[in-house]
Amino acid sequence: MSLLKISARRHAGIALGAFLLLAMATLQAEDIPLIDSTNPAKGWGANNGAEFPGAKVSLVADPAVNKDGKPSLRLTADLTGGGMYCDMSRNVKAMKLEVESVSFWLKAPGLGGLTLRLGDGGGRCHQIKLKLDPVSDDWRLVSFPIARFFEKRGTAEAVQGVAQYQSWGGLKGKPDGWNGQLQSVSILTGQKKQTTTIWVAGLVATVRSGTTDWSCGFEDSNVLPAGWKSEGTVKVAKDAFKGANSLALERVKAERENPCSATTAIFPVVPGVWEISAAMSVDLESPDASYCGSLHFEAIDASGKVIETMEIATPYGQKPWQVVKKQVRTPLQTTAGRLVARINKTVGTFRLDDLAVKPLDTTKKLPAVDRIVLATAALGNLFKPEDRRAYTISVESTRALSEAEQVVTWSVRDYWGGEQAAPGTVTVKANGKNKTRFRYEASVDLAAVPLEMGRYYEFHAQVPLSDNEPFKNSSGFATLPIAATKSFPPAKIPFNSRNWDGRIGEYIRLADRLGVRWIGLWGDNNMNLCKELGAGVVTGCGANVGSIERKGKDWEKWTDEATIRKAVQDYFAKNGAYPQKPLGVVFGNEPNITGEHLKTVMKAYKIAYDEVKKVAPETVVIPTSVPPIEEWFQAGYGEIGDVYDFHVYETPESVRQSIKDYQALMKKYKCEKPIWSTEIGLNSQGLTRQHISGDMIRKFAAFFAAGGVNIGWFDYLYPDPDGKALGTSGDSFNMFDSRYCKYAVRLDGVCCYNLMNGILDKKFTAEKTWADGTYACLFRNPAGECFVTLWRGKGRADLFLPLPGVKEVTVIHIDGRRTVMQAGGKGIGLTVCADPLLLAFKGPATLPETLGESPLKIVTAPVRLMRGAPGVVELSGTAEPQRVTLLAPPLWTVAQAKDNPLHFTVNTPENSLAREGDILIRVVDAEGAITSELGTRPILTGLLAGEDHFKP
């Protein structure tokens, strides 16, 4: 796409603040104006291109046409009598400008191109024909990066939007590129046999070094700063973080569907690393994190086109003032930027103050390698036990790589960063191009790496670069059997799914791969795929009654009874021959309505419900998801569905409370039905996948223990073809890393698989919190197969879990690691902490009244362990020392003291990149079966240069 392509509508109303920052910005005096604000025509002359006779030219200041109060020059080129062009020009030799770029605002009705002529200090004239796309009658920003143009010519990083470049003249012996200072500026226009008029305003020569700061504190005025745009209610108000004023975005319920945003004027930005900070507070209605305020930074190229949008923060709910800081790397083509604040989906107030954008490093060269794509033949990198485990490494670079740079180092690590084998190398070979990027590929077979079934791992790769730090990437994977849920009819398995976009085939297949049996779709898209997979579906019913909630387009038509009934009939007539059973249909999503509009919504839902049950009585109707609100029950919520549905993204306790409140309302209004949740999740931005996985286990337990019947964890994936979404609020929900659309499983994806395939058809049976704070939730089926989730709220404890009558127990750790233990009809020894354990066994439907003493305890263990330095693990207890072993990550060394077999020394390699060490202490019986398993996980210190702490 052309660098000079620009949306004129987008820039309507943006002030000259793009390059002449106004009162609210702090700007070094490096942008030199070339149009005098008091005498615009001063220094400028006009030329009729006399070498092609017949043209007439006029150049005047035009007070009737200005750009945000800044004066313009009007150039008229009359070629009706002949000629090829006319121009406006200025000699700036006396200004001694060591120039980086020239920029100006242009109004050129009907014009698709423009020509610049720039004279340099070597006497050479450079002529650049620029594309103007699309054609527009409005003002547009044009910026030509002189220094970058000559630096990047002929490379994959070349400045785009240049239709033609020519040069001539110059001093003998001078090179063809740019030489010395800017001497002259000319703007040429004209169309054969036509009269063309253009206006130019705010022309500046930029001599900055790229270290410009921009800030805004809203103290100088009670109105928005010059050049800002707003939608909805946006104002400068009191209640500031600093000083007297702040920016307030406000939206009330009546305006929920109307946009509410504030966009700053454009300010200068160059490629590099920048820090963006802001103080913000919110008072918003937020059923989940998507009902939020947001602050984004938009990187803009020389044409004014937004080339990348970067999320800075997405506050939600009720939060007092807090400062957010984020580092961003602006793309190579960046010449400017702006901030955009919005209220998304919800109502309330979003305040901002003390905005600042400052450069951290604009000198470091961008790495030549701009992506490493890691992929396997297994969707989601979820290998089946019989699959060949291999990775394809695809390296993409803006230049050809040297032989040394083609040697890629790779390693396999556990979630904690522990290397599972010595790092290896592979040489990537040239394999054509991806657009302008050079592509190199190689394959790595992991057959020689010892890997456990069910455990989460990461494949890491890095490319050495001669002129920069190594470029790195990683990808999660696991080996998992086909989901056990697949052997059950979908109606027997209490798990559903919902995704950002229910039409994506990879989402549907991965939901099935994890074990979901009720897959959420959009409309009747992919019903045949679900049938192929043997899964039930949760979708719509043909009648778009959900649009009434948000008063969407044509919502009024869905209040008509005949329209609703016909749509339902048509839908089932079309799909009745092939929908996969069971079938669930959903009305609406998370409404926030009351009063008369609620009555309108409820009436439409009741009509749709009655018609669905009439034409397809076996269908499960899931009404719109709402919190337990009495007004809804008063309005007839109990009459529009077969179940109830609510969404929760807060704590496990909030899950319990929601169900408890629902149960009270059902009893009061005599309308008891099963309780579902089509979205249980966590507002997870900034949290580790370890934390998210633990929260998932606790919420599943809370949901079923409180009386819930069917649950879906949000979310799975969303396509990220350019690999830019990592770390954003939307990406943080995803169980699959979606960069480059390769969908690599994350730790919580493995955790979700273990939960669903552990619970299966089992029902909640009992829960217990013991005196020491240890909690367990027991699920059991009629065959006596049990599944237990076990954790502590705080701290850790080595304990004995009595399991009378139980023989064998499979213990699943939070990273999917499995240990088969022998209970011997008595029980097992365990370390229990905040990371939940999952236990599978066959046994009684009770939990023990008390916990016992572990036969072995950890007395001393390092909380932190220096790389390359020894750490001591000391044990005590009744276990026979000869039956005790300590397992450390591969490549670590373990030494057992000869005089004290319960004393171990562990040591990590000095160059290990592990964040933590996953250490297990096991006790075995006379036959070698494991009877106790304790654990500790020291944090490794002594960071290495360039240490990789990436957590997908």
Side-chain angles (χ1 to χ4, degrees), residues 787-824:
F787 186 75
V788 171
T789 60
L790 181 70
W791 70 82
R792 288 172 61 88
K794 294 181 180 179
R796 61 174 302 281
D798 303 323
L799 53 83
F800 182 79
L801 178 66
L803 294 171
V806 174
K807 294 181 179 180
E808 186 175 276
V809 181
T810 298
V811 179
I812 305 174
H813 296 255
I814 199 166
D815 66 349
R817 187 171 194 164
R818 285 163 163 74
T819 304
V820 177
M821 302 178 67
Q822 295 300 319

Side-chain angles (χ1 to χ4, degrees), residues 494 643-644 646 652 655-663 666 672-677 699-711 763-765 767 775 777 779:
V643 302
Y644 298 109
F646 73 98
V655 174
R656 285 182 183 271
Q657 189 62 50
S658 293
I659 294 177
K660 180 179 178 181
D661 292 344
Y662 253 113
Q663 291 166 338
M666 288 191 295
E672 295 190 12
K673 295 179 180 180
I675 298 175
W676 284 39
S677 179
K699 282 179 176 167
F700 271 55
F703 179 81
F704 289 112
V709 171
N710 195 301
I711 187 174
K763 305 297 182 183
F764 167 75
T765 303
E767 63 177 335
Y775 169 86
C777 180
F779 300 82

Side-chain angles (χ1 to χ4, degrees), residues 870-908:
V872 173
V873 177
E874 194 168 349
L875 311 170
S876 69
T878 59
E880 298 179 32
Q882 67 271 21
R883 301 194 190 282
V884 179
T885 58
L886 185 147
L887 300 178
L891 309 183
W892 291 32
T893 59
V894 177
Q896 190 173 22
K898 293 182 180 179
D899 58 344
N900 182 1
L902 295 182
H903 183 103
F904 294 85
T905 301
V906 295
N907 207 332
T908 177

Side-chain angles (χ1 to χ4, degrees), residues 509-527:
R509 292 188 182 279
L510 284 171
D512 173 78
R513 181 71 173 92
L514 293 186
V516 175
R517 304 300 280 136
W518 297 73
I519 296 178
L521 304 180
W522 283 12
D524 55 5
N525 292 283
N526 287 308
M527 274 194 174

